[in-house]
Amino acid sequence: MEKFDRYGNWGVCFIYATWFALGGLAAAGETYNDCLAMRNGVHFLLTTQRDDGGWGESYLSCSEQVCRDINAKSLSNQFI
């Protein structure tokens, strides 16, 4: 059997990670009002959201370790 050693991910780094982190914080009972991490995550999602309502993060975000939109423009990652 062939061995597959490949770096991989589901979704794209920053947007999905933030989304899952917010869900985990909410499941742990944290709220926007009492949790700085929750507020930072929400701020990140709101400031990276595109005019069409989506996010469109590029696959390049993972390899470059910087949040990139689908057009490869650099987005802020200061809140992650």
Side-chain angles (χ1 to χ4, degrees), residues 6-52:
R6 294 191 173 106
Y7 173 78
N9 55 31
W10 181 82
V12 181
C13 293
F14 294 91
I15 303 301
Y16 280 98
T18 303
W19 175 45
F20 282 116
L22 290 174
L25 288 167
E30 299 292 351
T31 68
Y32 182 87
N33 292 328
D34 68 11
C35 179
L36 179 61
M38 179 81 77
R39 290 190 298 276
N40 286 343
V42 169
H43 178 77
F44 171 75
L45 290 178
L46 292 175
T47 59
T48 57
Q49 190 172 21
R50 299 164 58 97
D51 291 338
D52 66 5

Side-chain angles (χ1 to χ4, degrees), residues 23 32 37 39 45 53 56-57 62-63 65 68 70-71 75 77:
Y32 182 87
R39 290 190 298 276
L45 290 178
E57 184 179 3
C62 291
S63 61
Q65 297 182 352
R68 303 248 180 227
I70 201 69
N71 295 319
L75 298 175
N77 66 355

